[in-house]
Amino acid sequence: MSNDHITELFDKDGNLIGCLLSADAWAAAKPHVHKLLDIKPKPELRPEPLADWEMLKEYWDFPYPVDMDVHCETCGARTENWQQDDPRKFRLSSANLAGLVSFACQQCQSKIVKKHFKDEITSETVPYQEKNQRKEGRY
């Protein structure tokens, strides 16, 4: 990696006060910096979109009752009613009026997508994949 990835910052007296790293340099250095400084990143937990789920239930027009069961094909976790579990086995990720509902398995982090069609419900499980920081979008 060349020096083009690091910009040193100095105060008015010429003292080094910090540096700027390019996105590629930070992606490479971040795990090492966190380890050296004993920083444990906190996972960002957004609140569940329960209002969206309630809206889907309010406008439910499928010929079958609202289904509350969720099953993870990756690790085998299962529940008959995801809202009544304490602690939650599955967290609601999204829900919309079209009948598309997704959950995150709290055991293995897989994504479970339930598609509510007129005559049937399909469910698919997508195993969790670690995010590649080098492929992160840049704006």
Side-chain angles (χ1 to χ4, degrees):
M1 196 170 280
S2 68
N3 280 344
D4 296 336
H5 293 280
I6 301 171
T7 304
E8 294 180 330
L9 304 172
F10 298 91
D11 66 9
K12 64 180 179 168
D13 298 322
N15 299 316
L16 180 65
I17 59 171
C19 68
L20 293 175
L21 300 177
S22 69
D24 287 337
W26 178 241
K30 185 176 182 178
H32 304 290
V33 171
H34 282 189
K35 186 175 180 181
L36 284 170
L37 299 177
D38 196 29
I39 298 172
K40 294 182 177 44
K42 296 177 186 173
E44 180 184 328
L45 277 181
R46 295 179 180 172
E48 292 179 289
L50 294 175
D52 295 343
W53 171 251
E54 293 301 325
M55 184 182 300
L56 172 60
K57 289 190 337 187
E58 182 180 339
Y59 290 98
W60 193 269
D61 64 350
F62 298 110
Y64 46 83
V66 176
D67 68 312
M68 305 295 277
D69 63 310
V70 183
H71 172 71
C72 178
E73 295 173 6
T74 303
C75 68
R78 176 183 297 274
T79 184
E80 293 302 316
N81 189 332
W82 64 271
Q83 283 187 296
Q84 292 181 349
D85 291 338
D86 188 26
R88 289 263 173 97
K89 294 179 184 178
F90 301 94
R91 282 184 48 88
L92 180 67
S93 302
S94 67
N96 65 37
L97 286 174
L100 185 64
V101 182
S102 65
F103 300 90
C105 177
Q106 297 301 285
Q107 185 169 325
C108 68
Q109 300 306 311
S110 291
K111 180 178 181 179
I112 296 93
V113 179
K114 295 183 81 170
K115 299 175 184 176
H116 298 83
F117 295 105
K118 180 180 179 185
D119 298 327
E120 68 175 341
I121 302 170
T122 63
S123 180
E124 41 187 78
T125 302
V126 179
Y128 177 75
Q129 293 180 352
E130 194 70 38
K131 184 176 181 179
N132 185 340
Q133 297 295 334
R134 294 178 189 269
K135 293 184 178 178
E136 192 170 331
R138 295 191 179 101
Y139 302 95

